[in-house]
Amino acid sequence: MTSAKMPLLRAEPLYRDVASHTGIRWELLAACDWMQCKARHGYSPVYGEKLGTVNLDDTCYRTKSAALEQCASDLVQLARSVYQLDIATSHELTVRDLARVFAAFRWGGLLKLHNTSAMDFPYSVAGLTADHTHMRWPNIDAPNAPDKPGGRFRQPFGAVPVVLGLNYQALM
């Protein structure tokens, strides 16, 4: 977590500014930035691509703030449409709801469609507890899964541990 915390805290003013436009907590944007591109300067947290790169969907983000704005919008829309969560309130969420937010962000409605808990989704919860280590992507037979279903999740921790590591006080 130390490797994530320092660059995220340095960028906190940017995350706070962008988050203030949508009402979400800055820690959610910071976690997206870490999970998608390790918060690297010059990279977008939307797809993890270099800023200025034209994506397959013809989008192009020239600044980190523009990319973070898109992430904030996606977080709000996907959490609402997939799990009926209103995260644009700046209120703390439960750990389970945080997991749902990041599951919706990464895989949209696939987990819900296949009756798979967001608490089984490594992008959200890897490293959260001892039971959440050495996780694999859910083995869902879906041709549009953005990651390799059943494959090993290669990062040491997911988005929820990042958020909690930034002193976010999740509700019980």
Side-chain angles (χ1 to χ4, degrees):
M1 279 302 303
T2 305
S3 62
K5 196 169 187 176
M6 290 313 297
L8 298 178
L9 290 176
R10 277 195 298 272
E12 181 180 345
L14 176 61
Y15 301 138
R16 283 187 181 276
D17 183 48
V18 172
S20 72
H21 302 159
T22 57
I24 67 171
R25 296 286 302 262
W26 73 271
E27 297 94 336
L28 302 179
L29 279 179
C32 283
D33 197 19
W34 181 259
M35 295 303 296
Q36 295 296 106
C37 65
K38 299 289 186 256
R40 289 183 296 176
H41 180 72
Y43 284 80
S44 163
V46 177
Y47 296 109
E49 78 283 10
K50 281 188 171 188
L51 292 173
T53 301
V54 178
N55 298 307
L56 293 176
D57 63 359
D58 288 327
T59 58
C60 179
Y61 303 96
R62 301 208 177 275
T63 64
K64 187 76 147 194
S65 56
L68 287 167
E69 289 276 355
Q70 183 61 53
C71 286
S73 175
D74 290 347
L75 282 165
V76 169
Q77 285 183 319
L78 290 164
R80 184 177 294 130
S81 66
V82 176
Y83 292 106
Q84 293 73 52
L85 292 172
D86 182 8
I87 65 167
T89 61
S90 294
H91 295 289
E92 285 83 9
L93 299 168
T94 65
V95 168
R96 186 177 67 203
D97 284 344
L98 285 169
R100 288 175 174 168
V101 168
F102 292 109
F105 179 76
R106 183 67 179 210
W107 273 27
L110 276 175
L111 295 179
K112 192 171 179 186
L113 181 67
H114 292 276
N115 299 314
T116 303
S117 170
M119 296 301 291
D120 284 334
F121 191 60
Y123 184 88
S124 296
V125 297
L128 184 63
T129 70
D131 291 337
H132 294 98
T133 57
H134 309 293
M135 294 184 77
R136 295 186 166 280
W137 293 104
N139 196 8
I140 292 174
D141 186 20
N144 57 343
D147 301 288
K148 185 180 175 190
R152 199 173 124 240
F153 182 73
R154 301 208 181 273
Q155 297 185 47
F157 48 84
V160 174
V162 172
V163 170
L164 298 176
L166 295 171
N167 298 322
Y168 181 97
Q169 298 298 308
L171 300 174
M172 293 303 190

